[in-house]
Amino acid sequence: MIIQRVVLNSRPGKNGVPVAENFRLEQSTIADTIQAGQVRVRTLYLSVDPYMRCRMNEDTGSDYLLPWQLSEVADGGGIGVVEESKHGHLAKGDFVTSFSWPWQTVAILDGSLLQKLAPQRVNGRLSYFLGAAGITGLTALLGIKEKGHVTVGANQTMVVSGAAGACGSLAGQIGRLEGCSRVVGIAGTDEKCSILVQEMGFDAAFNYKTGNVAEQLRELCPGGVDVYFDNVGGDISDTVISQMNQNSHIILCGQISQYNKDVPYPPPLPPDIEKIQKERNITRERFLVLNYMDKQEASISQLCQWIQEGKLKVRETVVEGLANIGAAFQSMMNGGNIGKQIVSVSK
């Protein structure tokens, strides 16, 4: 069977900025028949995420992420529909997902590695299982519950950087649902800030590209910062940390501003900021959602319930066509999207 697939065409280099041309669309073939335990699936949606930048390097800098190989098919979170099955628990027409879905139009996969999906749990929006009801939502929810130390009635202020992104836009809402009294977002355009406040219930949001970040934080967080959901790192995070309260908490989710630099993860803080962190007893521990998979089922159920009840607003940036996945990745890394970046492969 002839298929289309996307392979890693070139590496941007450890300190390079990824571009669409780092990926290549090509024709390939898969077997016409499947073996016992396998299923043939047609790809519907693929997820494009910041962590994938690390997989473009020969050394990902992480023991749980494998590098993509040159001229080999890339992979990540994906959703598809079963077209043929020789697996006992999967049938034709079932919707399934995997965290290691190949970037190709049709694939033959091991049925035991796939998770069956129930579209009604997300009001029929299958792609939500790659975002708000998937690993992205889990990262936001478990990050807040495990590292945020949010307490109902404690009058806590949460700040979210990268707040218009896939994880940040959910984290702010979840922070409020879990008990924060004030949620402030940091984003890169006035449009994004408006969406955060008007659609997603943030109390305030500001554009870090216009005006002084420290001054805007002081104005919007007059009582200081108690919980910081950190998606970006770098100068913005240093500024937030400098305004955090005694015994406050950093949820170290991502450091997207540092992903194109050859630095360790998490990047070390500047000496003056590290001094503040220690003096104020601010927690800053690496958070990895894969360490909490025992809480996955209950957490997904909570996320789906919030979606069904309309308490969790979801934004997606959907790009049509497998051929455009490289451009979608480049746009995401440049901060051009709002919410989750999804590639729709076929209907």
Side-chain angles (χ1 to χ4, degrees), residues 190-238:
D190 292 342
E191 178 194 9
K192 290 178 179 179
C193 292
S194 177
I195 289 171
L196 291 173
V197 174
Q198 294 180 14
E199 291 187 19
M200 298 185 172
F202 283 60
D203 293 283
F206 68 89
N207 182 351
Y208 71 90
K209 295 180 180 178
T210 60
N212 183 283
V213 172
E215 290 177 0
Q216 293 181 91
L217 268 175
R218 276 192 291 270
E219 179 184 348
L220 297 175
C221 306
V225 179
D226 301 295
V227 184
Y228 174 39
F229 200 98
D230 185 6
N231 284 305
V232 302
D235 293 341
I236 289 176
S237 290
D238 295 344

Side-chain angles (χ1 to χ4, degrees), residues 13-149:
K14 281 192 172 183
N15 297 298
V17 177
V19 294
E21 290 74 24
N22 291 133
F23 300 96
R24 183 178 75 246
L25 180 71
E26 64 179 26
Q27 278 197 346
S28 186
T29 59
I30 59 171
D32 290 326
T33 58
I34 60 175
Q35 306 299 315
Q38 293 182 329
V39 295
R40 187 178 77 246
V41 292
R42 177 166 51 87
T43 304
L44 299 177
Y45 300 104
L46 295 171
S47 176
V48 180
D49 302 286
Y51 82 88
M52 292 174 171
R53 172 62 185 87
C54 304
R55 300 193 68 188
M56 299 179 80
N57 297 335
E58 290 185 79
D59 178 6
T60 66
S62 171
D63 54 4
Y64 67 92
L65 286 179
L66 295 176
W68 286 327
Q69 299 300 319
L70 289 172
S71 296
E72 295 293 332
V73 66
D75 68 301
I79 291 172
V81 60
V82 175
E83 293 190 325
E84 183 182 0
S85 175
K86 289 188 177 180
H87 186 275
H89 299 295
L90 294 174
K92 182 178 180 180
D94 285 345
F95 296 107
V96 291
T97 187
S98 167
F99 195 59
S100 302
W101 196 285
W103 287 7
Q104 56 192 57
T105 50
V106 181
I108 295 174
L109 302 175
D110 181 345
S112 65
L113 302 180
L114 298 174
Q115 180 181 356
K116 190 174 176 179
L117 300 175
Q120 65 271 21
R121 298 184 73 191
V122 288
N123 300 328
R125 297 294 296 271
L126 266 176
S127 57
Y128 283 10
F129 284 114
L130 294 178
I135 198 74
T136 310
L138 284 174
T139 300
L141 176 57
L142 290 170
I144 289 168
K145 292 181 76 71
E146 299 296 329
K147 300 295 184 181
H149 303 276

Side-chain angles (χ1 to χ4, degrees), residues 5 12 16 23 28 36 68 71 98 116 121 131 246 252 264 275 278 288 312 327 335 343 347:
R5 67 177 192 171
F23 300 96
S28 186
W68 286 327
S71 296
S98 167
K116 190 174 176 179
R121 298 184 73 191
Q246 193 75 23
L252 195 59
K275 182 180 179 183
K278 291 180 178 178
L288 181 61
L312 197 59
V343 174
K347 296 293 184 182

